[in-house]
Amino acid sequence: MNFATLKVAISALAANKLRTSLTLLGMIIGVASVTALMSIGRGVERQITTELQAAGTNVLFIFSGRPGGSPSEEPPQQLTYEDALALEELTWDGTVVGVAAEGSSRSLSVVAQGNDTHVSVQGVTASYISVNNLTLAYGQPISEIDVDSRASVAVLGSKAAADLFPDDDPIDQTVRAENLRLRVIGVLEEQGGSGGFGNSSDNAILIPITTAQARLSRWVTARGERPVNSISIELLDEQEETIDAGAAGIRQILRERHEIPEEADDDFIIMSPKDLIEAVSAALGVFTLFLGAIAGISLLVGGIGIMNIMLVSVTERTREIGIRKAVGAKRRDILIQFLVESVVVSVLGGVLGILLGTLISFGIAQIPFGGDGESLQTAVTLDIIFLAVSVAASVGIFFGIYPANRAARLDPIQALRYE
Amino acid sequence: MRDSVIETSDLRKTYVMGGSEIHALDGVSLNVERGDLLAITGPSGSGKSTLMNILGCLDRPDDGDYLLDGEDVATLDDNRLAEIRNRKIGFVFQSFNLLPRVSALEQVELPLLYGGGNRQKRPAKSAPAAAGAPVGAGKAPNELSDAEQRAGVARDLMLQKGGAGWRDRAREALIAVGLEDRMSHKPTELSGGQQQRVAIARALVTDPAIILADEPTGNLDSRTSEELMALLLRLNADRGITVLFITHEEEIARRTNRIIRMRDGRIADEERGDFAGGESSNSGAEAGQAPSESSIDDGEETPSQAGSSPATPARSSEVAP
Ligand SMILES: Nc1ncnc2c1ncn2[C@@H]1O[C@H](COP(=O)(O)OP(=O)(O)OP(=O)(O)O)[C@@H](O)[C@H]1O
Ligand SMILES: [Mg+2]
């Protein structure tokens, strides 16, 4: 192939502008829908992994449950505040820098200055805010003293603060939830999104875990311990060895405390955000490809359009093919000429389709949806562009090869006689 | 020893139409020497076009041998045939067969576009001469004057430069057919005679050994026909290109030095001689004979010319339009 071949292809396409544009349109729609749908998938993927990463990649989360979901066993024991306190032991050698627990939480209606809202009131340990990478916008965090003294203090999530105190400084104000009167000591910065693990802290109120245990949920386990929803462990760093050592220490302590026999499985799950991010992004990657594949059907239709038009073009230009063969064109020359033509259409359609798809994807990102007025994040990434262009080119080759081959195999004398 | 450029023996082509067989060619043996000027006549349906298409490697015979420039065409694959059509043959059709929407210059460039291997042709011819090889050794260049050889070398240089060289060669061919002021015209912007001139330039541009023309003037008025025939004859006389053409007009046929008359797929009659000068020899009996095998041993790209061309020895590098 050379420049002359390309020129011939383009002038042949230009000779039939309307037909070429309609064929192009088929490709453009196909590629645009692939680009737009995949950009949504990729956007969701990004959003979720960013949130997961925000929680910190050097944190291990412990939940009650059976790894691998082993069936037909008694339900796993609850994790307890006592478990969390026992895990503090791990901080002695320095691999673990913090242990935090969250429990005795309840969803409640809270009132302040005549404003009320529905929030999750969460009992947390003093280390919870730092271990979970939350930051205070202003005020004080919950301290060890607050936890020890079961102080009636609260740190508000950003949304809870805005709902309860739209105009005023909430610090030192009082919020009431059921029989609790809590003094606001701090407000968290907005965390955004769904908040990594569990609930977002934006619409939550954090109170000392001991206060929650005493005032919100007095329930205790069979062994007389106070249950928590999750324990998070902050590690020194996110090195593989640190994570493994941390997990091993946690297992040892918890198995001992839960009196799990040697051969039995754990009754808790240790999850590292790294694993989770990998698993989630792998799953979302498949989801993105799946979206792309659905949109790919329209690309297929575009490809069939190309094939159709190329077949018409070959028939129409039979005589031209005969002339070219008569002056010395080989099969390969004719094959390449028609193939270049279909690839030019498909790649041009691909490029225009990416532009249109990017516009659509940008448009989608502007449309608010859902209750909180947030919009879907979209991302047209390089790999989507690369995929779209290469799929478009492949479509051109795949659907162009049959018509081109038909042209190339024409018998010169019959082609010249064709009327 | 005469140098055959075309040698066929017992060519056959049969079409089956609705159960009945049509013997379009029914045993044609023909020998054409380099530089010959040959007219083929005969009634409609006698197989002239069929023969011409086979000679031009556009079609293959069902049976019989065809040696073109010493090469057995039957053994060649499609790609080689395409190369031969490109390099050795220039075909001129009754219906012009120009590409639609393409300028005259680009029409003429077309064979160059497909003839990548073409670049080797000229050096192969001129190398022995440059090395002082004896002319009688059978490897003489195609009777080129010094000036023409130099032009050829210059052309090769241009060819190596690619597109620009093609353009110059195409331009040169169009000048040779007298279309220097119509280069950028498209077929719809040219008269019939001008279109056929473009077709001749296209046939000429690769410097072929043979030009085959199937009723080249069939679609043209007599005055234009006259001019075009003069052009073809000049190409034969001045450049030594072997020219075969089909015509229905006896008057035109008689301007050659050899007339083949066909009937029912056979050569019915053959006349040789300088008809213009009145002398003529009827050699119809010879026509059916197979050519002697001895003359085809020299099966190389550039068989000898051996200075036996019937064309005028004095050659200008260009045909005056
Ligand atoms: N593709 C084909 N299929 C069937 N028969 C054919 C085909 N091509 C040629 N013929 C037949 O072969 C015979 C020779 O045809 P050809 O075209 O060679 O004649 P011609 O001498 O060129 O005639 P004209 O002077 O009219 O051009 C005719 O009888 C024709 O009908
Ligand atoms: Mg004919």
Side-chain angles (χ1 to χ4, degrees):
Chain A
M1 201 203 105
N2 51 31
F3 181 68
T5 322
L6 197 64
K7 213 179 110 186
V8 167
I10 288 169
S11 66
L13 292 170
N16 258 309
K17 287 195 186 61
L18 180 63
R19 187 200 282 177
T20 304
S21 344
L22 290 175
T23 316
L24 261 180
L25 197 62
M27 275 314 282
I28 291 173
I29 290 171
V31 172
S33 54
V34 168
T35 309
L37 274 184
M38 286 190 78
S39 80
I40 293 174
R42 195 49 48 83
V44 170
E45 214 172 299
R46 274 197 178 175
Q47 198 161 357
I48 291 178
T49 42
T50 319
E51 282 164 14
L52 289 178
Q53 248 143 10
T57 45
N58 60 334
V59 181
L60 293 176
F61 293 88
I62 311 168
F63 302 94
S64 172
R66 300 216 179 263
S70 353
S72 72
E73 285 179 71
E74 55 185 296
Q77 294 180 49
Q78 284 271 325
L79 291 174
T80 62
Y81 185 49
E82 285 73 15
D83 286 336
L85 293 177
L87 289 170
E88 295 271 3
E89 181 189 315
L90 291 170
T91 55
W92 296 344
D93 70 356
T95 33
V96 169
V97 297
V99 178
E102 179 263 304
S104 302
S105 312
R106 278 174 62 192
S107 194
L108 291 174
S109 196
V110 294
V111 183
Q113 298 181 336
N115 298 315
D116 66 349
T117 182
H118 209 78
V119 298
S120 160
V121 180
Q122 302 176 344
V124 297
T125 58
S127 49
Y128 183 84
I129 288 177
S130 67
V131 167
N132 286 286
N133 262 12
L134 302 176
T135 34
L136 276 175
Y138 46 89
Q140 302 292 318
I142 290 164
S143 67
E144 296 283 358
I145 298 168
D146 293 332
V147 174
D148 290 345
S149 64
R150 296 182 193 175
S152 295
V153 293
V155 171
L156 306 183
S158 58
K159 186 168 183 295
D163 288 348
L164 292 170
F165 303 99
D167 311 312
D168 292 328
D169 177 8
I171 299 291
D172 284 335
Q173 304 274 11
T174 302
V175 296
R176 277 174 307 156
E178 249 175 26
N179 56 347
L180 269 173
R181 290 173 63 85
L182 302 162
R183 185 169 58 90
V184 177
I185 56 169
V187 174
L188 293 175
E189 255 175 23
E190 188 180 339
Q191 195 188 2
S194 59
F197 289 90
N199 302 320
S200 165
S201 314
D202 288 346
N203 198 27
I205 292 180
L206 307 183
I207 64 174
I209 188 164
T210 46
T211 315
Q213 282 159 358
R215 309 288 291 277
L216 294 180
S217 169
R218 291 172 166 280
W219 183 64
V220 291
T221 65
R223 289 150 36 134
E225 296 182 351
R226 290 162 289 178
V228 294
N229 294 328
S230 70
I231 301 175
S232 20
I233 307 277
E234 185 180 4
L235 299 167
L236 182 64
D237 54 42
E238 49 185 49
Q239 303 285 316
E240 198 81 34
E241 308 90 73
T242 317
I243 291 174
D244 290 348
I250 293 165
R251 284 193 66 207
Q252 202 194 336
I253 290 174
L254 288 184
R255 284 179 74 92
E256 206 170 292
R257 281 191 52 82
H258 291 190
E259 292 167 347
I260 298 171
E262 195 70 36
E263 66 281 4
D265 287 334
D266 297 346
D267 66 351
F268 51 88
I269 296 166
I270 304 170
M271 198 137 40
S272 82
K274 246 186 175 170
D275 295 347
L276 195 70
I277 289 169
E278 272 162 30
V280 166
S281 58
L284 288 174
V286 171
F287 168 70
T288 305
L289 276 183
F290 178 70
L291 284 181
I294 290 177
I297 293 170
S298 56
L299 207 55
L300 197 74
V301 175
I304 293 171
I306 289 185
M307 180 144 142
N308 187 24
I309 228 61
M310 290 310 294
L311 282 173
V312 171
S313 171
V314 167
T315 309
E316 269 183 1
R317 282 148 71 193
T318 301
R319 216 179 151 87
E320 175 193 326
I321 295 162
I323 295 170
R324 288 178 185 275
K325 287 202 153 189
V327 301
K330 297 176 183 166
R331 279 190 181 189
R332 229 183 91 249
D333 297 317
I334 303 293
L335 184 86
I336 287 174
Q337 182 193 330
F338 280 88
L339 216 48
V340 164
E341 219 173 290
S342 63
V343 171
V344 163
V345 173
S346 68
V347 169
L348 188 62
V351 169
L352 294 177
I354 285 169
L355 293 180
L356 181 65
T358 307
L359 271 179
I360 291 173
S361 136
F362 186 74
I364 289 172
Q366 307 308 307
I367 302 170
F369 87 114
D372 52 4
E374 271 189 65
S375 61
L376 207 58
Q377 200 175 314
T378 60
V380 179
T381 51
L382 265 184
D383 61 333
I384 293 180
I385 292 175
F386 181 76
L387 187 83
V389 170
S390 51
V391 166
S394 315
V395 162
I397 292 173
F398 182 81
F399 289 99
I401 198 105
Y402 174 72
N405 204 29
R406 226 160 110 144
R409 295 171 74 94
L410 282 175
D411 178 57
I413 201 71
Q414 273 166 16
L416 279 170
R417 279 210 197 104
Y418 186 87
E419 288 305 326
Chain B
M1 186 188 84
R2 301 276 287 181
D3 169 27
S4 293
V5 67
I6 290 172
E7 274 187 271
T8 76
S9 75
D10 207 23
L11 286 183
R12 287 171 193 279
K13 183 89 184 174
T14 307
Y15 294 105
V16 181
M17 293 287 282
S20 70
E21 288 189 345
I22 301 166
H23 296 282
L25 287 187
D26 195 11
V28 173
S29 300
L30 178 67
N31 200 328
V32 180
E33 271 118 40
R34 201 175 297 278
D36 258 3
L37 176 61
L38 188 148
I40 300 174
T41 65
S44 187
S46 56
K48 305 181 297 293
S49 295
T50 308
L51 175 64
M52 203 62 132
N53 291 338
I54 289 172
L55 294 183
C57 295
L58 286 167
D59 207 354
R60 291 172 187 269
D62 293 336
D63 200 10
D65 294 327
Y66 175 20
L67 295 174
L68 172 65
D69 231 0
E71 212 164 354
D72 187 352
V73 171
T75 63
L76 301 179
D77 65 6
D78 280 0
N79 277 345
R80 263 309 271 155
L81 283 187
E83 270 171 38
I84 286 184
R85 287 197 294 270
N86 184 255
R87 289 195 213 168
K88 295 196 175 169
I89 296 166
F91 219 109
V92 180
F93 303 88
Q94 178 176 359
S95 50
F96 318 141
N97 275 340
L98 298 178
L99 295 180
R101 302 181 304 271
V102 170
S103 76
L105 195 60
E106 285 169 307
Q107 307 270 5
V108 179
E109 273 177 10
L110 196 62
L112 300 174
L113 191 75
Y114 291 125
N118 209 350
R119 303 167 189 212
Q120 305 308 318
K121 191 179 163 199
R122 280 301 193 120
K125 268 187 182 174
S126 38
V135 170
K139 294 288 174 198
N142 201 0
E143 279 218 334
L144 300 166
S145 69
D146 280 357
E148 215 179 17
Q149 274 188 38
R150 273 197 296 276
V153 171
R155 240 177 301 185
D156 292 330
L157 287 176
M158 283 192 288
L159 256 186
Q160 274 144 25
K161 276 189 269 163
W166 294 349
R167 183 129 299 189
D168 288 336
R169 278 183 79 172
R171 203 168 273 140
E172 200 179 313
L174 280 169
I175 292 168
V177 299
L179 284 181
E180 55 271 25
D181 53 353
R182 293 287 186 279
M183 300 220 185
S184 55
H185 286 232
K186 299 186 174 143
T188 48
E189 300 157 358
L190 292 168
S191 73
Q194 287 167 336
Q195 287 185 55
Q196 196 62 303
R197 279 172 191 270
V198 173
I200 292 172
R202 183 178 65 188
L204 194 65
V205 74
T206 53
D207 219 349
I210 316 166
I211 288 182
L212 302 172
D214 189 346
E215 297 186 48
T217 61
N219 284 0
L220 302 172
D221 64 56
S222 57
R223 212 183 95 84
T224 318
S225 300
E226 183 55 38
E227 286 169 10
L228 274 165
M229 281 321 301
L231 173 61
L232 279 177
L233 300 193
R234 262 203 314 274
L235 288 174
N236 171 257
D238 296 353
R239 297 196 175 189
I241 300 174
T242 312
V243 174
L244 274 71
F245 63 88
I246 295 174
T247 180
H248 281 289
E249 291 177 52
E250 185 63 22
E251 198 185 319
I252 290 178
R254 297 196 73 82
R255 295 176 59 176
T256 65
N257 52 22
R258 197 173 165 197
I259 303 176
I260 302 273
R261 299 186 198 280
M262 292 194 66
R263 180 164 296 120
D264 299 332
R266 294 166 186 272
I267 296 178
D269 190 38
E270 177 174 348
E271 284 179 68
R272 275 177 189 275
D274 183 6
F275 304 119
E279 177 210 344
S280 136
S281 74
N282 194 320
S283 53
E286 175 198 296
Q289 289 167 11
S292 67
E293 293 295 318
S294 62
S295 60
I296 57 172
D297 293 341
D298 190 7
E300 290 192 46
E301 283 279 319
T302 55
S304 75
Q305 172 76 12
S308 58
S309 166
T312 350
R315 297 204 178 136
S316 64
S317 57
E318 233 145 58
V319 180

